[in-house]
Amino acid sequence: MKKLLLLPLLFFTCTVLFAQQASIQGLLLDDARNPVAYANVLLLHAADSSLVKGALTEENGLFRFDGLAAGKYKVTASMVGYTRTMTPIITITEASGTIELEPLLLQQTATNLSEVVVEGQRPLIEQQLDKTVMNVENSIISTGGTALEVLEKAPGVIVDQNDNISMRGRAGVIVMIDGKQVPMSGTELANMLRGLPSDAVSRIELITNPSSKYDAAGNSGIIDIKLKRDKSQGTNGSVNSSLGHGREIKTSHGLQLNHRAGKVALFGSYNYRHNKDYTNLDIYRQFLEGNTVTGIYDQQNRFKFQINSHNARVGADITLSPKTTVGVVAGGYLVDFNRTNNNRSNGLNNMGQIDSSFVTDAIVGHDRSNQSINLNIKHNLDTTGRNITADLDYIRYKNGDLQDFTTNYYTASGELLRPPYLLHGILDGNLTIRSAKADYAQPLKSINGNLEAGLKSSLVSADNDLDFYDRSEGGNVYDTGKSNHFLYDEHINAAYLNTSREWKKLSLQLGLRLENTIAKGKQLSDGQKFNRNYTQLFPSTFLNYTISERHGLGVSVSRRINRPSYNQLNPFKNFLDPSTYTAGNPFLKPELSYAFEVTHTYKQQFITKFNYSRTTNIMVQVLAPDPKVEKLVAQTFENLAEYHYYGMSLSLPVSVGNWFSSLNNATLYYGLYKGNLANTALSNGRPTYNLNSNNTFKLPNDWSTELNATYRAREVYGFLEIDPLWFLSVGVQKQFWDKKGSLKLNVSDVFFSNKVRGVTQVTGYTETFNQSRDSQVATLSFSYRFGKGQASPSTKRSSGAEEEKSRAGGN
């Protein structure tokens, strides 16, 4: 352990074998010699002024470009209200280290600009060395949809039939919104994302191998959903509205506002979505003893959903001095999620004939609410880049469910077998998260490096009370077998240290994170409880080497943890009908993984990644007969011994002039599950691949079109095997009013092919299923931007309660 703690320090004592890598850094000042924050700075090729890199100045006016090849460059800086400035030609040779520019001066203009028109637009998908960025606000086909539907189109991301999100074939994804982790997983997370309109999303960042600065949670990486936020001077914003129709109606409406004057920046947004949906799920179940079939259920499940969601946030950033900025962000959401279902189950004999049946009609209301507040401060210690940031977070979630099930049993001839079974359930759930963190950053100019360090502490308390009542006899009889009351408390303390250094062609970052977890849970219904106290180290290493002007190579190694979500630990039973329920597992252990990744870049555009990871105690979803009740199927999570992942991903951008661009991604992987669960020895895996192609066509007169195609080959998840599927989405856009307004028409899943089919096999049980939903939808949307000018954005903040909030939801 001591050796691991010394690694970042020993790193700086290594013998310097290489010259410094080429970099350009400078300082931007106004005509009063004050630093200019958040101005646009561009690095251009001197020959043709083509863009190399772009950046925003820091609050102290500093900017920097790293990893530059030999050549001739120019730097230009601009900001509304000032004249553009440009440096003379800068020559970089292979022997150049860090080039310090003379301060760049911006002169204030005497004439007010009537308007600013920005012609440039980011591509739909940007493939970067450490992450993939999907610019949702530029997407035609994403308009009028939900954040979950956008994720389904993201390269390498899969949302399965149980609403679990995986990336590059690996589960354990951490989902964030504006750098703050969402306190949910599984169905709860999916329902929240269904309530978030895609029109509120600016971009989605897919981070496959985070550094030690991030919480150690998330075996397969981080998905960070960035919401829109206007960055213009004065009062500015945007409005959007959409109407979609598949089999059901879907509407969304949103407003984003930003006001910036002097040292105060105010921002806020509100989004409302009304969504009707359906799911058809057909299941064929066989119960076996050895090779003998002992029972068969042929089930047709029909679900209808209606979601009304309200999402709002407000905030302010105040610049107290050129060195200090404080901020506050408050937000919340309210989701009213109602479900009705009609589930018919026919019991068949060995001849395939119906010998009995039951029909369950359910009315379920889910109320979800969240309130959060974040206080933050950033202080620059000097002009060299040393700074301290701190966050305080308080977040509260409340869940409320009302469930009414009516089940009628019938004979083979269709006669009523007995009086209806009436089951009524009430859930009252509360989750509170308190978090504090502090981070320190310091450039190490003497060795061309950086140092980052930080501390974090979080407290989580969960209280979930579920009561079921049998009303079959006209009374209200408490059902002790289905009811439960679960309490959970968790305290995590963490510290991290990151160090980095750059040479001529080599850059290296070493990091180490230490996390101590103290957790305890108790079921009040039967007195079962657990207590855990463990400390883990999470080292990480990132190495980048510039082979030549065209070729680059990167290597990363890290250790990560994926703790169970709070509701995955919750043992409550959620009944679908008398034959099926889902439940948490209070004795679920966290999974630990080592990940190794090699990245090759060609011309900084074509990116190939090779991955390997080994995960122990991997959490897999198990669908198997309840050991205590005949012909009752339980769906829960269990720990499997280990999982080995071998993967390769390819990124192929193609462009023709300025009218056509295409980014094509392929992920090939093999996942091997090994262990023993549900009385079944498992050594299961198969090679598979996923393909994604995003294509944009720019047409005359401000018209454009977009096409997205996705194909997923046959895949394996533990005991589950999913058939191949594919889907296609298209859209067209017309811009008007000097490109401030736009009208978009898109059709998702054009051929209604996004249907999931699969099979589950464990000892004594086999299930095949077919699932479809309202995925073929035509949507017409309108958006309008108002306000003039472009100025510095408010400071972007991420809270300290990130990892906890990702785990506070459903199974």
Side-chain angles (χ1 to χ4, degrees):
M1 177 176 175
K2 292 181 178 179
K3 292 180 179 180
L4 289 173
L5 288 171
L6 289 173
L7 280 176
L9 300 177
L10 291 175
F11 163 61
F12 289 110
T13 65
C14 294
T15 303
V16 178
L17 299 177
F18 301 92
Q20 291 184 332
Q21 185 178 1
S23 301
I24 295 176
Q25 66 182 29
L27 178 66
L28 187 64
L29 304 175
D30 61 15
D31 44 12
R33 308 294 292 187
N34 294 319
V36 180
Y38 305 114
N40 292 309
V41 184
L42 303 179
L43 180 67
L44 309 176
H45 284 294
D48 57 5
S49 294
S50 61
L51 179 65
V52 179
K53 291 184 179 182
L56 292 176
T57 56
E58 298 291 338
E59 292 174 80
N60 54 13
L62 291 173
F63 62 88
R64 182 181 174 94
F65 299 105
D66 293 314
L68 304 181
K72 295 185 177 182
Y73 302 91
K74 294 183 292 185
V75 173
T76 179
S78 63
M79 190 173 182
V80 169
Y82 296 85
T83 57
R84 180 185 297 271
T85 184
M86 181 179 292
T87 66
I89 294 177
I90 305 165
T91 301
I92 291 180
T93 67
E94 293 185 355
S96 296
T98 298
I99 298 177
E100 292 274 0
L101 301 179
E102 292 293 327
L104 276 72
L105 299 180
L106 285 178
Q107 298 292 330
Q108 191 168 9
T109 58
T111 304
N112 292 326
L113 296 179
S114 59
E115 85 179 303
V116 175
V117 178
V118 180
E119 295 290 346
Q121 179 173 290
R122 291 183 179 274
L124 176 59
I125 292 181
E126 295 178 274
Q127 187 70 63
Q128 301 178 12
L129 186 65
D130 60 339
K131 62 186 174 183
T132 300
V133 179
M134 187 175 184
N135 293 301
V136 178
E137 61 185 340
N138 297 338
S139 173
I140 302 171
I141 60 175
S142 296
T143 303
T146 68
L148 187 69
E149 291 169 341
V150 174
L151 275 182
E152 287 187 299
K153 301 181 181 72
V157 176
I158 294 176
V159 182
D160 69 16
Q161 76 286 347
N162 293 317
D163 290 330
N164 297 310
I165 299 174
S166 61
M167 189 160 59
R168 300 189 302 176
R170 298 178 60 200
V173 178
I174 296 298
V175 176
M176 295 182 177
I177 294 181
D178 280 339
K180 303 176 182 180
Q181 292 187 3
V182 180
M184 302 175 184
S185 63
T187 301
E188 291 285 344
L189 172 61
N191 288 338
M192 193 281 293
L193 294 176
R194 288 188 179 101
L196 178 62
S198 59
D199 295 310
V201 178
S202 171
R203 67 185 187 276
I204 296 176
E205 297 181 354
L206 311 175
I207 307 170
T208 57
N209 203 2
S211 72
S212 297
K213 183 176 181 178
Y214 291 90
D215 289 319
N219 287 336
S220 60
I222 293 173
I223 297 176
D224 196 357
I225 301 172
K226 302 291 187 179
L227 301 181
K228 290 181 179 178
R229 182 164 164 186
D230 201 290
K231 302 176 182 179
S232 302
Q233 185 72 28
T235 301
N236 307 272
S238 64
V239 293
N240 59 77
S241 184
S242 69
L243 174 65
H245 200 297
R247 184 188 293 185
E248 304 288 350
I249 293 288
K250 307 158 202 310
T251 65
S252 68
H253 313 279
L255 171 67
Q256 290 81 42
L257 288 173
N258 178 77
H259 177 76
R260 187 176 186 89
K263 297 181 178 181
V264 178
L266 305 175
F267 58 90
S269 66
Y270 169 76
N271 290 278
Y272 168 75
R273 181 167 180 83
H274 172 75
N275 188 37
K276 290 186 177 181
D277 208 339
Y278 76 87
T279 297
N280 292 338
L281 176 62
D282 296 330
I283 302 174
Y284 188 81
R285 294 173 166 172
Q286 289 184 311
F287 300 88
L288 304 99
E289 289 185 5
N291 295 323
T292 303
V293 177
T294 60
I296 299 174
Y297 276 148
D298 187 6
Q299 301 180 317
Q300 294 81 44
N301 304 290
R302 301 294 179 261
F303 304 89
K304 289 187 176 180
F305 309 95
Q306 179 169 295
I307 302 175
N308 290 291
S309 69
H310 305 264
N311 292 270
R313 63 172 182 153
V314 294
D317 291 328
I318 303 173
T319 303
L320 300 180
S321 71
K323 292 185 176 182
T324 306
T325 302
V326 296
V328 58
V329 182
Y333 67 81
L334 178 65
V335 179
D336 179 22
F337 183 89
N338 296 310
R339 184 191 89 213
T340 61
N341 54 279
N342 177 267
N343 300 343
R344 182 178 185 87
S345 298
N346 294 322
L348 310 180
N349 58 29
N350 291 340
M351 302 298 293
Q353 300 170 331
I354 298 176
D355 57 16
S356 64
S357 63
F358 62 84
V359 178
T360 299
D361 292 296
I363 300 175
V364 181
H366 304 279
D367 292 325
R368 302 289 184 263
S369 63
N370 154 251
Q371 303 85 38
S372 65
I373 186 168
N374 166 258
L375 303 175
N376 59 78
I377 183 170
K378 180 176 182 179
H379 178 69
N380 294 313
L381 298 173
D382 51 36
T383 59
T384 65
R386 292 196 306 137
N387 66 78
I388 297 175
T389 61
D391 288 86
L392 291 174
D393 285 273
Y394 178 83
I395 308 121
R396 186 172 179 84
Y397 296 87
K398 184 173 180 58
N399 300 339
D401 288 356
L402 287 177
Q403 310 174 52
D404 282 296
F405 300 89
T406 301
T407 303
N408 289 288
Y409 297 86
Y410 301 92
T411 65
S413 59
E415 298 177 355
L416 195 63
L417 186 63
R418 60 176 186 252
Y421 172 54
L422 306 179
L423 183 66
H424 176 73
I426 303 172
L427 168 65
D428 183 21
N430 294 280
L431 175 70
T432 303
I433 301 173
R434 302 172 183 87
S435 177
K437 75 166 186 173
D439 298 280
Y440 171 78
Q442 174 183 337
L444 301 171
K445 292 187 178 181
S446 61
I447 59 170
N448 199 25
N450 291 281
L451 172 69
E452 295 177 308
L455 299 171
K456 176 184 172 182
S457 181
S458 65
L459 292 169
V460 178
S461 298
D463 185 343
N464 291 279
D465 189 6
L466 177 63
D467 296 319
F468 273 109
Y469 298 88
D470 187 344
R471 295 178 171 179
S472 302
E473 304 297 329
N476 207 35
V477 181
Y478 187 73
D479 191 330
T480 57
K482 296 182 175 67
S483 302
N484 206 338
H485 192 173
F486 181 64
L487 303 177
Y488 181 77
D489 292 288
E490 180 184 83
H491 187 193
I492 299 178
N493 293 307
Y496 77 88
L497 179 66
N498 269 346
T499 58
S500 63
R501 185 172 183 177
E502 297 180 358
W503 292 274
K504 176 183 176 183
K505 293 187 175 183
L506 181 70
S507 64
L508 179 63
Q509 176 181 292
L510 294 178
L512 185 65
R513 188 177 186 89
L514 182 145
E515 293 189 352
N516 170 253
T517 304
I518 303 172
K520 60 180 181 179
K522 183 177 182 180
Q523 299 184 59
L524 298 186
S525 57
D526 58 12
Q528 290 192 72
K529 60 183 179 180
F530 64 85
N531 290 280
R532 294 174 184 161
N533 188 335
Y534 54 91
T535 301
Q536 299 278 352
L537 284 173
F538 302 97
S540 63
T541 302
F542 298 85
L543 176 70
N544 291 317
Y545 180 70
T546 302
I547 302 173
S548 66
E549 186 175 345
R550 293 189 173 188
H551 295 275
L553 189 66
V555 178
S556 64
V557 182
S558 64
R559 184 176 190 255
R560 302 192 67 78
I561 189 173
N562 186 34
R563 299 179 180 90
S565 71
Y566 306 122
N567 274 15
Q568 283 177 331
L569 295 169
N570 192 332
F572 289 179
K573 294 180 179 178
N574 183 15
F575 284 86
L576 197 64
D577 56 39
S579 70
T580 310
Y581 71 87
T582 62
N585 177 2
F587 303 103
L588 202 60
K589 299 176 182 178
E591 39 182 61
L592 293 164
S593 66
Y594 283 94
F596 176 79
E597 183 173 278
V598 177
T599 302
H600 175 262
T601 60
Y602 177 67
K603 292 184 176 180
Q604 298 184 348
Q605 296 182 26
F606 304 93
I607 300 178
T608 306
K609 296 184 178 182
F610 300 89
N611 317 91
Y612 169 75
S613 67
R614 179 180 179 270
T615 304
T616 55
N617 284 328
I618 183 169
M619 294 179 287
V620 296
Q621 201 164 41
V622 179
L623 196 67
D626 187 301
K628 299 179 181 179
V629 182
E630 184 179 0
K631 295 183 181 178
L632 178 63
V633 176
Q635 180 176 292
T636 187
F637 278 88
E638 300 282 353
N639 288 114
L640 192 68
E642 56 184 338
Y643 173 67
H644 296 265
Y645 174 90
Y646 308 83
M648 180 178 71
S649 60
L650 307 171
S651 174
L652 179 63
V654 177
S655 61
V656 179
N658 61 357
W659 64 271
F660 172 71
S661 62
S662 173
L663 183 62
N664 307 281
N665 289 273
T667 302
L668 301 89
Y669 68 92
Y670 173 76
L672 177 62
Y673 296 84
K674 300 180 71 175
N676 195 308
L677 284 178
N679 299 317
T680 305
L682 182 66
S683 181
N684 195 19
R686 67 172 300 128
T688 189
Y689 61 92
N690 301 321
L691 306 176
N692 181 277
S693 179
N694 288 276
N695 306 272
T696 303
F697 304 83
K698 291 185 179 180
L699 305 176
N701 301 318
D702 295 327
W703 285 86
S704 60
T705 64
E706 186 179 321
L707 182 147
N708 172 274
T710 298
Y711 177 81
R712 300 172 187 162
R714 188 181 302 275
E715 298 180 87
V716 168
Y717 297 95
F719 299 97
L720 176 65
E721 186 167 334
I722 303 294
D723 288 349
L725 65 84
W726 64 279
F727 52 92
L728 182 75
S729 300
V730 297
V732 61
Q733 172 182 257
K734 168 62 177 177
Q735 292 180 306
F736 44 88
W737 298 337
D738 293 326
K739 296 187 178 181
K740 290 185 176 181
S742 67
L743 193 65
K744 302 176 184 178
L745 174 65
N746 68 76
V747 180
S748 61
D749 194 11
V750 174
F751 299 101
F752 196 37
S753 55
N754 190 1
K755 302 176 181 180
V756 182
R757 301 175 178 86
V759 59
T760 293
Q761 288 185 311
V762 298
T763 300
Y765 179 73
T766 300
E767 172 182 307
T768 59
F769 67 88
N770 295 277
Q771 184 183 62
S772 63
R773 54 188 176 82
D774 200 10
S775 58
Q776 187 184 51
V777 180
T779 302
L780 182 66
S781 63
F782 168 80
S783 64
Y784 176 71
R785 294 181 294 106
F786 55 87
K788 299 179 180 180
Q790 181 73 26
S792 56
S794 304
T795 306
K796 295 182 179 179
R797 298 295 302 151
S798 62
S799 77
E802 298 174 352
E803 193 268 335
E804 295 76 19
K805 290 166 43 179
S806 72
R807 300 164 45 228
N811 300 337

